[in-house]
Amino acid sequence: MYPITTAHYIALSAALLLIGTVGVLTRRNIVIILMSIELILNAVNINLVAFSQALRNLNGQIFAIFVITDAVAEAAVGLGILIALFRNKETVLADEVDLLKW
Amino acid sequence: MNFLDLIWLIPLFPLAGALLMLLFGKLLDPQPPSEVAVAPGVEHTHDEHGHAHDRGSGHSHDGHDHHGHGSPLKKLVSLICPGVVLISLLLSIGAVWQLSQQAQKVHQVIQFTWLAGLPFHLMDGRLATFSADWGFLLDPLSSVMILVVTGVGFLIHVYSIGYMAHDNGYYRFFGYLNLFIFFMLMLVLANNYTLLFVGWEGVGLCSYLLIGFYFHKKSAADAGKKAFIVNRVGDAGFILGMLLMFSVLGTVRFLDVNAALRGGQFHAETAGFGVLSAIALLFFIGATGKSAQFPLYVWLPDAMEGPTPVSALIHAATMVTAGVYMVARSSALFQLTPQTLSIVATIGAFTAIFAATIALVQNDIKRVLAYSTVSQLGYMFLALGVGAYWVGIFHLFTHAFFKALLFLCSGSVIHAMGGEQDMRYMGGLKDKIPITHWTMWIATMAIAGIPGFAGFFSKDEILWQAYSSPLGSKTLWAVGVVTAGLTAFYMWRLMAMTFYGKSRVSREAAAHIHESPPSMTVPLTVLAAGSVLAGWLAVPKAFHLPEIFYTFERWLSSLAPEETLHETAQGAGMEWILMGLSVTVAILGIYVAFRFYQAKPEIPEGLARRFQPLYKILYNKYYVDEIYDFLFVNGLGKGGGEVMGAFDRNVVDGAVNGAGWLTRFSSTVSMWWDTWIVDGAVRLGSFTVKLLSYPVCILQTGRVQAYALFVVVGVLVFFGYYLAGK
């Protein structure tokens, strides 16, 4: 059996980061983009906790709590912006919101 | 008292009189100026009883005194002005007497330096300073002149008291007359050329003022201008000569100039025309203008527009002799320039005969005398031109007496005739104005050169010198003799037409013929005495008389030290012959005039008809005035005006218009520049920015995800860079 080392956690975190980044960049629906952002944040959390365990330091975990709090706030605000957007523009698709262009 | 130290008072008194009159005269003699010339020289009507007109001046012909209207202030003027001249005369006599007692008959007094130290480069490269002083020089030559000026001047002032009595410009006249005496005295007493020139110009000014005394009359004003302008032409020559002299000699003082010229470093310019000849010629040009020689004589006949005392003083005795004086003063210079001397003699002789021919047919009594003056001045220059300087001055001396007398007598005649000057309307006046008649007879004898009278001695001496001097020639002598004959002729013609024969006087004038008052006749008598006695101061050498009869020549012996006395045996004989010839010619002239104008008056009219063209030419003065008008007055004046007008229109106005055009043109260019180049640069900038913005605009899609992509790409670049660096 292979032991689950820190590297596995980092790889998992990296994978989730990449998936989240691609999702932010690629998906049309703003709700999905928000969900992708959550995914990135969670990836960061996993990274932090893994290193906290590896370095036998509690700072990582504490930081992860902060990140969770921050993610929650951000999601709330983001959804509020989305609802306001929908009220004005009748759409939830990112590429239809392109007024600020040349 | 030492008169020699008080020389400066001699010109000062007349100057004081002049200033008093000209500055305060209006207060002394407050009469309004006459609106039209009202003087004996102009015809003016007056009613039968000779009551004074309310024009302010009239003749009172009832035998009363002619002295003004009795205003005490006018009497004051009559006292002051002749009085100051009398004082100058007495001072002059005193000074000349004391000078004669001195061994060295030269007295120079320098009051102060007037022009000091103007640096000047001389011809030979030396640096000199031009300085002229206000100084007086009394030597035999100037002593003769001051006696003539003050003596004759005083007599004429006294005469003017009577003559100008009815004139409203009384104080003005005397003021100008005194001013003239002042300037003339400055001229003859100056010790250097510059101060002489001050006097020279001053007498020219006074001549202008006095000729144009009746300035309301256009012909008088024109005559005054003509005199001054023609004079000016000569003055230009004088100034150039003076400056040239300074640049050669380094000094303009007479004594220094004479010393330098006689010092031996300058040789007589017999070979050609050198710088000294140029100086002498320029001086002579100045003399030509002032002393009315050909071609600058034209002002003198016109100058007769002035009152008769003016003609007597200025244009007979004094101002016109200034040129003669100046040439005599420069005798040391002229002695070294025989070519210029011959020019002087030639012009003098030519002028003499030229003017005499014109005088033959003139009808205005004063014109005849004016041309006679020009002619006699020609004689003086003839004498100077053959090297006989003292003889020229001697003729000046005697001429002053008889010519002033002639003019004053003619003034007396005109006064008697109530203004008539044309001799054709005179005649038979002999018994009506006796004193005038016999004084004028004496003067005529003098000018004609009848032995015993003054003119004979001086004129004969001139003719003898012209014949025998090394610088003279028989031609000059012949011209002189012919002129003497003409002189005798026209003078006796004048006498005959005026005093003898049948009376041609108009009836209204005839009623008023009267002898002049004593203030006029006494000077006539004195001058008549002078016209007889003055000549005896220098009798011809051929008469072997006691020394006193040769005073004049001895007195002026310093003028030309190498003066020779032509006293060879052959010379004496020749002198008698020539003397006889000139006397014969004079008597012949008088006889012919007698025949023409007294015995058979039809002869001159017949001659005038037969030789009509010649008569016309002579009567019209050879049309010289017309020629001058055409050449100079119209040519230079109007033609010059045309040229100036064209210049003004084309060049000056063209420049102004051109400047305007240039301004508009440059503004157009400026506008084009501004529109296309300056604004273009600005627009170019904006255009470039817009051009460059296109690629960038494409990047701004408005889609957030695109922007997020850029962020990620940037992060990856950073990572790559960081990892690669590691």
Side-chain angles (χ1 to χ4, degrees):
Chain A
M1 297 289 265
Y2 297 112
I4 307 275
T5 60
T6 314
H8 293 95
Y9 283 102
I10 293 171
L12 174 66
S13 167
L16 284 175
L17 184 76
L18 285 171
I19 293 168
T21 306
V22 168
V24 166
L25 295 176
T26 316
R27 301 301 291 249
R28 280 176 77 195
N29 203 322
I30 296 180
V31 182
I32 305 300
I33 293 173
L34 285 171
M35 287 201 296
S36 303
I37 292 172
E38 293 300 316
L39 197 55
I40 293 171
L41 289 169
N42 281 323
V44 168
N45 279 342
I46 292 173
N47 204 359
L48 281 169
V49 166
F51 271 105
S52 166
Q53 198 267 335
L55 297 176
R56 296 228 168 255
N57 194 343
L58 211 53
N59 285 342
Q61 292 178 38
I62 296 172
F63 197 10
I65 299 292
F66 277 109
V67 171
I68 292 170
T69 313
D70 194 44
V72 168
E74 186 190 323
V77 172
L79 285 168
I81 292 174
L82 175 64
I83 291 172
L85 177 66
F86 184 76
R87 278 208 200 111
N88 284 303
K89 286 287 173 213
E90 285 282 324
T91 177
V92 288
L93 298 177
D95 50 2
E96 283 177 16
V97 187
D98 58 355
L99 283 176
L100 283 177
K101 71 163 186 263
W102 174 243
Chain B
M1 55 200 290
N2 189 353
F3 288 103
L4 287 176
D5 285 336
L6 297 174
I7 293 183
W8 58 279
L9 283 178
I10 297 178
L12 186 75
F13 274 97
L15 178 64
L19 288 176
L20 200 65
M21 286 302 118
L22 296 175
L23 292 175
F24 303 109
K26 261 200 138 73
L27 303 168
L28 286 178
D29 189 22
Q31 287 175 316
S34 34
E35 72 274 15
V36 165
V38 202
V42 176
E43 261 105 67
H44 60 281
T45 56
H46 37 78
D47 53 292
E48 273 303 309
H49 303 289
H51 285 311
H53 258 235
D54 39 89
R55 269 202 269 173
S57 123
H59 275 280
S60 42
H61 286 287
D62 37 11
H64 284 347
D65 70 308
H66 292 263
H67 285 275
H69 302 291
S71 142
L73 295 173
K74 201 163 188 174
K75 289 213 171 67
L76 191 69
V77 174
S78 315
L79 199 64
I80 293 179
C81 291
V84 289
V85 183
L86 179 62
I87 296 176
S88 289
L89 173 62
L90 296 173
L91 287 172
S92 308
I93 295 176
V96 173
W97 173 253
Q98 284 186 338
L99 185 76
S100 66
Q101 304 298 308
Q102 279 184 339
Q104 180 77 329
K105 292 185 182 24
V106 167
H107 183 80
Q108 180 169 238
V109 174
I110 295 183
Q111 302 291 128
F112 53 88
T113 304
W114 167 42
L115 294 171
L118 304 167
F120 206 98
H121 269 286
L122 296 185
M123 236 181 209
D124 49 9
R126 282 181 290 146
L127 185 68
T129 55
F130 184 93
S131 75
D133 355 270
W134 194 272
F136 299 111
L137 176 68
L138 190 68
D139 69 350
L141 179 60
S142 56
S143 64
V144 170
M145 296 301 296
I146 58 174
L147 288 176
V148 167
V149 170
T150 50
V152 176
F154 173 65
L155 290 171
I156 292 180
H157 273 79
V158 173
Y159 179 92
S160 304
I161 297 176
Y163 192 79
M164 301 296 289
H166 300 294
D167 204 286
N168 281 339
Y170 198 69
Y171 72 89
R172 190 162 63 98
F173 181 79
F174 274 105
Y176 289 157
L177 219 58
N178 271 6
L179 192 67
F180 169 81
I181 299 278
F182 163 69
F183 276 121
M184 192 70 203
L185 287 172
M186 286 311 300
L187 197 158
V188 297
L189 281 175
N191 78 331
N192 61 66
Y193 282 100
T194 316
L195 195 59
L196 187 150
F197 190 64
V198 169
W200 187 274
E201 290 292 289
V203 296
L205 169 73
C206 291
S207 172
Y208 162 77
L209 291 170
L210 284 164
I211 293 173
F213 185 70
Y214 303 119
F215 55 86
H216 296 289
K217 194 166 162 223
K218 183 165 199 302
S219 57
D222 285 347
K225 272 190 295 186
K226 186 174 184 179
F228 199 82
I229 292 173
V230 174
N231 234 290
R232 225 55 191 110
V233 175
D235 292 348
F238 186 93
I239 296 179
L240 287 174
M242 191 166 58
L243 292 175
L244 192 58
M245 164 172 273
F246 182 79
S247 73
V248 169
L249 293 172
T251 173
V252 287
R253 285 200 203 107
F254 296 138
L255 293 178
D256 299 343
V257 163
N258 287 351
L261 287 171
R262 289 181 185 149
Q265 51 171 149
F266 292 97
H267 303 288
E269 295 182 352
T270 43
F273 203 83
V275 68
L276 288 180
S277 304
I279 300 175
L281 188 63
L282 287 168
F283 277 159
F284 178 61
I285 291 176
T288 312
K290 186 65 80 183
S291 296
Q293 296 297 291
F294 186 87
L296 297 174
Y297 69 94
V298 290
W299 61 273
L300 190 53
D302 285 16
M304 298 298 118
E305 296 280 345
T308 309
V310 168
S311 306
L313 182 62
I314 299 186
H315 308 124
T318 39
M319 187 184 93
V320 291
T321 57
V324 180
Y325 166 75
M326 192 261 287
V327 172
R329 181 57 87 193
S330 317
S331 61
L333 172 69
F334 279 90
Q335 278 298 101
L336 292 176
T337 61
Q339 294 210 336
T340 313
L341 268 186
S342 69
I343 294 177
V344 172
T346 314
I347 291 198
F350 175 73
T351 308
I353 195 168
F354 179 79
T357 55
I358 300 180
L360 294 176
V361 297
Q362 297 300 313
N363 289 321
D364 182 339
I365 192 174
K366 281 176 76 172
R367 290 283 144 123
V368 175
L369 294 177
Y371 285 107
S372 170
T373 306
V374 176
S375 180
Q376 296 299 308
L377 289 167
Y379 266 113
M380 291 180 217
F381 280 104
L382 173 59
L384 296 173
V386 296
Y389 301 98
W390 74 268
V391 180
I393 299 295
F394 183 48
H395 195 61
L396 189 160
F397 180 70
T398 56
H399 175 263
F401 286 103
F402 57 72
K403 192 44 72 61
L405 179 57
L406 280 171
F407 270 109
L408 295 186
C409 287
S410 73
S412 188
V413 168
I414 295 170
H415 180 97
M417 295 288 297
E420 182 60 66
Q421 286 185 255
D422 195 326
M423 293 193 291
R424 293 174 291 194
Y425 303 118
M426 297 182 191
L429 294 175
K430 174 170 70 131
D431 299 312
K432 306 212 177 116
I433 41 176
I435 304 181
T436 308
H437 166 242
W438 67 259
T439 48
M440 200 158 193
W441 183 87
I442 292 179
T444 306
M445 290 296 115
I447 195 175
I450 301 298
F453 298 87
F456 163 70
F457 296 107
S458 56
K459 196 183 284 193
D460 202 71
E461 194 63 39
I462 293 179
L463 292 173
W464 167 244
Q465 294 290 344
Y467 187 83
S468 63
S469 158
L471 293 157
S473 72
K474 298 206 176 35
T475 324
L476 289 172
W477 171 83
V479 169
V481 171
V482 170
T483 312
L486 294 174
T487 307
F489 174 81
Y490 67 67
M491 285 312 300
W492 192 257
R493 169 178 177 265
L494 188 149
M495 290 292 291
M497 284 177 85
T498 310
F499 291 106
Y500 304 126
K502 281 206 296 283
S503 173
R504 299 180 295 277
V505 180
S506 71
R507 261 208 294 148
E508 52 197 48
H512 300 116
I513 297 181
H514 60 291
E515 184 59 269
S516 307
S519 62
M520 286 166 71
T521 54
V522 167
L524 293 182
T525 322
V526 175
L527 285 172
S531 300
V532 174
L533 299 172
W536 290 91
L537 285 172
V539 300
K541 305 284 176 331
F543 304 172
H544 293 278
L545 291 175
E547 266 304 301
I548 191 170
F549 292 102
Y550 301 97
T551 319
F552 209 87
E553 180 175 4
R554 263 187 307 117
W555 184 246
L556 289 176
S557 58
S558 61
L559 269 184
E562 54 267 29
E563 189 61 38
T564 56
L565 301 172
H566 302 280
E567 192 51 275
T568 62
Q570 187 219 22
M574 204 61 211
E575 200 174 348
W576 281 108
I577 295 176
L578 293 181
M579 202 185 305
L581 262 174
S582 58
V583 173
T584 315
V585 162
I587 296 181
L588 194 67
I590 294 182
Y591 176 69
V592 174
F594 173 79
R595 287 271 299 177
F596 276 25
Y597 291 97
Q598 287 177 254
K600 286 191 196 260
E602 7 4 302
I603 300 185
E605 284 149 30
L607 276 179
R609 267 198 301 277
R610 270 214 303 178
F611 297 104
Q612 178 77 337
L614 180 64
Y615 178 78
K616 269 189 70 163
I617 291 181
L618 288 181
Y619 189 70
N620 285 308
K621 314 160 268 163
Y622 296 97
Y623 297 105
V624 172
D625 280 317
E626 284 75 11
I627 294 175
Y628 279 1
D629 260 348
F630 175 73
L631 279 179
F632 301 112
V633 178
N634 291 338
L636 285 180
K638 299 202 175 68
E642 287 299 318
V643 170
M644 283 293 131
F647 181 78
D648 193 44
R649 271 194 308 277
N650 296 332
V651 177
V652 178
D653 287 355
V656 174
N657 293 345
W661 175 84
L662 199 66
T663 309
R664 291 222 314 277
F665 178 70
S666 69
S667 85
T668 310
V669 169
S670 182
M671 192 177 75
W672 177 85
W673 179 271
D674 194 48
T675 310
W676 289 103
I677 309 239
V678 175
D679 285 359
V682 172
R683 282 206 291 262
L684 186 71
S686 75
F687 175 76
T688 312
V689 169
K690 223 161 98 167
L691 194 70
L692 291 176
S693 76
Y694 280 119
V696 180
C697 287
I698 295 174
L699 293 176
Q700 191 178 26
T701 56
R703 291 184 285 124
V704 183
Q705 285 171 317
Y707 302 156
L709 177 62
F710 288 132
V711 173
V712 171
V713 166
V715 170
L716 288 176
V717 167
F718 264 114
F719 266 162
Y721 187 73
Y722 180 68
L723 286 176
K726 229 137 146 161

